Amino acid sequence: MGVGTFQAWMTGLQDWIVAAGDTWWVHLVVFALCAIDAFFPTVPSESVIVALSSLWASSSVPPIWLTVLAAWGGAFLGDNIAYLIGRTVGWERFGFLHRGRGLKAVQAAERGLDRRALLFLMTARYIPFGRTAVNLTAGAVRYPWRQFWRRSLAATFVWAVYSCGIGAVAGSWFEDNHLLAITVAVVIAVVVALVVERLVSLMNHLLDGRHERAAQRAEEEAALREPGSPDEDPSAASALGGAEGDGEGGNDGPVPTAGVAGGDVPPETPRETGDVEKVEASSVGEHQPSDEDRSAENPGAESDADTDPRRTASPA
């Protein structure tokens, strides 16, 4: 926009504001402009709000509280319409969002909604094309509408108060000159918008960098916790291997038995006790032949008791 074009635009805006400032329908115009600005960012809704607020500071018309309510309601309605458009048809059908600042705003909106939705919804409307991009993108990515409308309600209220406040402050400096007050208010609003844009962009850049560093650290820590990682401590691994080797029978030394050190006899193992019982059972079970058995086998042989004089009892 050239200087001549800007001057012509400012002159037309001043004339319209002065003529419509005390009409009953001016706030309906504010409401409509703020709603349309949500998906057509070329509509000068903020300039009209600032100019009307400046006129109120210098002439007490129109009531500024009605301007705040109209701007708030229109912006909130426009945000939800843009969200519905993004949810239905997406943001790709808007040509101005495919290049330049529009494309950057969409990319920033995707990152912002994923990482810090509340902060981004509050600050995106101060970035050129940011309000349109974030509303359409929120609908396209299926951001929960219950969270969206609540945060949009708070964001649009802050924006309406901020815009009316700039106009009222600038208008109070030039109470005797309505046209000059409107011009200064609009210029101040443009300068403040540029400063806020830079600050918001810088803040988002810093937060994105912090988020990326945190994600990188989380990935490194997860890689260190994985089994068999090359970054695993070799001394811990060798100690673990030695412990496993001992548990598998790598220790060839004798296993100490309780009571040996004190001189007690170690208890018999079940295997040894079983062997002794088997030996006793075999010895008991063997048949020892008696004298009767031997005499039965050899009828002509005499027993040791009959032939041995020492075993024959003598009469008393």
Side-chain angles (χ1 to χ4, degrees):
M1 180 184 294
V3 177
T5 305
F6 179 75
Q7 290 178 349
W9 178 80
M10 283 298 305
T11 302
L13 178 64
Q14 291 172 353
D15 294 340
W16 184 85
I17 292 296
V18 172
D22 58 350
T23 61
W24 63 268
W25 47 263
V26 67
H27 294 103
L28 297 178
V29 175
V30 172
F31 182 91
L33 291 177
C34 292
I36 298 172
D37 186 29
F39 41 90
F40 286 112
T42 56
V43 176
S45 60
E46 185 172 356
S47 300
V48 172
I49 296 171
V50 172
L52 286 174
S53 301
S54 174
L55 182 62
W56 169 82
S58 58
S59 62
S60 301
V61 291
I64 192 171
W65 64 272
L66 286 178
T67 305
V68 172
L69 291 179
W72 182 20
F76 176 70
L77 177 62
D79 284 0
N80 285 268
I81 292 176
Y83 175 90
L84 181 61
I85 294 174
R87 191 178 183 90
T88 305
V89 301
W91 61 267
E92 292 82 0
R93 298 192 180 185
F94 293 85
F96 63 90
L97 296 178
H98 287 268
R99 58 186 180 275
R101 288 188 172 184
L103 181 59
K104 292 181 180 179
V106 170
Q107 294 172 350
E110 292 177 348
R111 293 193 304 268
L113 290 173
D114 181 55
R115 299 174 182 177
R116 48 187 181 278
L118 176 59
L119 179 62
F120 198 80
L121 287 172
M122 295 290 292
T123 59
R125 62 188 62 250
Y126 303 101
I127 304 174
F129 302 102
R131 179 188 179 192
T132 304
V134 71
N135 293 333
L136 292 175
T137 304
V141 300
R142 299 295 193 272
Y143 185 79
W145 181 74
R146 289 186 177 181
Q147 298 181 13
F148 176 83
W149 76 261
R150 294 173 183 173
R151 294 172 178 181
S152 174
L153 188 66
T156 50
F157 175 76
V158 173
W159 173 78
V161 173
Y162 153 81
S163 300
C164 291
I166 291 178
V169 171
S172 63
W173 297 342
F174 306 96
E175 296 180 359
D176 299 331
N177 192 332
H178 303 329
L179 297 179
L180 181 60
I182 294 173
T183 303
V184 172
V186 173
V187 171
I188 291 177
V190 172
V191 174
V192 172
L194 293 175
V195 174
V196 172
E197 174 194 353
R198 295 296 181 183
L199 293 177
V200 171
S201 300
L202 178 60
M203 180 184 63
N204 289 328
H205 178 71
L206 294 176
L207 293 176
D208 288 339
R210 181 182 300 179
H211 184 275
E212 292 175 359
R213 289 192 297 269
Q216 184 177 2
R217 286 196 300 267
E219 291 178 358
E220 293 176 356
E221 293 176 358
L224 290 176
R225 288 194 295 267
E226 291 180 358
S229 173
D231 296 334
E232 188 177 0
D233 189 3
S235 60
S238 60
L240 180 61
E244 292 178 352
D246 295 341
E248 293 176 357
N251 186 6
D252 297 334
V255 179
T257 306
V260 175
D264 298 335
V265 179
E268 295 180 349
T269 61
R271 182 176 179 179
E272 295 174 353
T273 306
D275 294 342
V276 173
E277 292 177 354
K278 290 180 180 179
V279 172
E280 292 178 354
S282 61
S283 61
V284 172
E286 293 180 355
H287 178 69
Q288 300 293 334
S290 60
D291 295 340
E292 296 178 355
D293 294 336
R294 284 195 297 270
S295 61
E297 293 177 357
N298 300 313
E302 295 180 355
S303 64
D304 294 339
D306 296 335
T307 59
D308 190 358
R310 290 175 299 178
R311 300 178 63 179
T312 304
S314 58

